[in-house]
Amino acid sequence: MNIMENKKYLIVKAVSETASFRIPEYHNFHKTLPLPPFTTLIGLAGAALGKEYRDAQEFFKVNEFSLGVSGRMFGRATDLWKAKSTKKKNTEGTVIRREFNYGNQYSLVFAGNKSTIELLANAFNYPEYPLSMGLSDSLLKVINVQVLDDKCLCDSNHLQHCILLGNFMDHISFDLDLDKKYVFTPITSPVSYNLPNAFIFFDDGSRKIKGRQEYTFIGNQVCFEKKMMCVDGCGEKIPIFEHSI
């Protein structure tokens, strides 16, 4: 990664009771991603700045941000929705099963030049619009906003509960310390998805996918052959990646 000399690193610590990030290919069953993808981070920043998504996307394109996500959830559940048809008046609706994460804790990283990071930090402290995680009623509460310099950067090949930009499924091995006493918790395997990373917008308010990118979602701690650039946020190593639009 190309690290600029005057780059700043914004870490936003936040929580939400519920969150749902639908995979586009799922329809009647809205399966959720374990963590918010980078497009959700752009939407969050846009809401904090008082921008619509199309304007937020342009803001991120012009300012060339790097992004990172780390987070944990207490559990997962499903909810039943009754959806009305938008095609014909007499067409029956359908039942949708929506999956959501609950008891969520997040660390969101935005890296960019000093002026834009300071602007974004102020926006998260005093957001123009309510912040939500996927659904409008899944409100996000910001706990702490911190701006760091490049002294927070580190290299690590041991990562957990984060997102990697790219498909790393062939470069991962589980990293369990056999001498450590473990409390029983579910093991979450890494998983890779091909997700939208940018959209084209039309005058009628609709949009279509402009491009896609592979993302790898890491749960329990894994090990890589090569080290990755990370931001050390209070002992939590969060990998960061340039997000090209």
Side-chain angles (χ1 to χ4, degrees), residues 150-188:
D150 58 9
K151 293 180 181 179
C152 71
L153 294 177
C154 64
D155 293 326
S156 180
N157 60 348
H158 299 271
L159 300 173
Q160 60 181 338
H161 307 295
C162 61
I163 296 180
L164 309 179
L165 187 60
N167 189 333
F168 290 84
M169 298 300 291
D170 294 334
H171 307 280
I172 294 174
S173 60
F174 276 103
D175 184 26
L176 297 177
D177 184 356
L178 298 179
D179 296 326
K180 181 179 178 180
K181 184 182 291 185
Y182 285 90
V183 178
F184 175 76
T185 54
I187 299 288
T188 304

Side-chain angles (χ1 to χ4, degrees), residues 37-96:
F38 288 178
T39 49
T40 298
L41 266 62
I42 293 173
L44 277 174
L49 291 164
K51 297 178 180 290
E52 299 295 332
Y53 191 92
R54 65 188 304 170
D55 298 322
Q57 179 175 278
E58 184 63 23
F59 177 77
F60 272 72
K61 180 180 179 180
V62 170
N63 290 286
E64 299 181 342
F65 282 88
S66 295
L67 303 174
V69 181
S70 177
R72 301 191 185 200
M73 60 181 171
F74 184 79
R76 182 170 287 168
T78 57
D79 192 13
L80 285 178
W81 286 26
K82 177 71 173 180
K84 294 182 178 179
S85 173
T86 59
K87 296 180 179 179
K88 295 181 180 180
K89 291 183 178 179
N90 298 326
T91 304
E92 292 186 4
T94 185
V95 174
I96 295 173

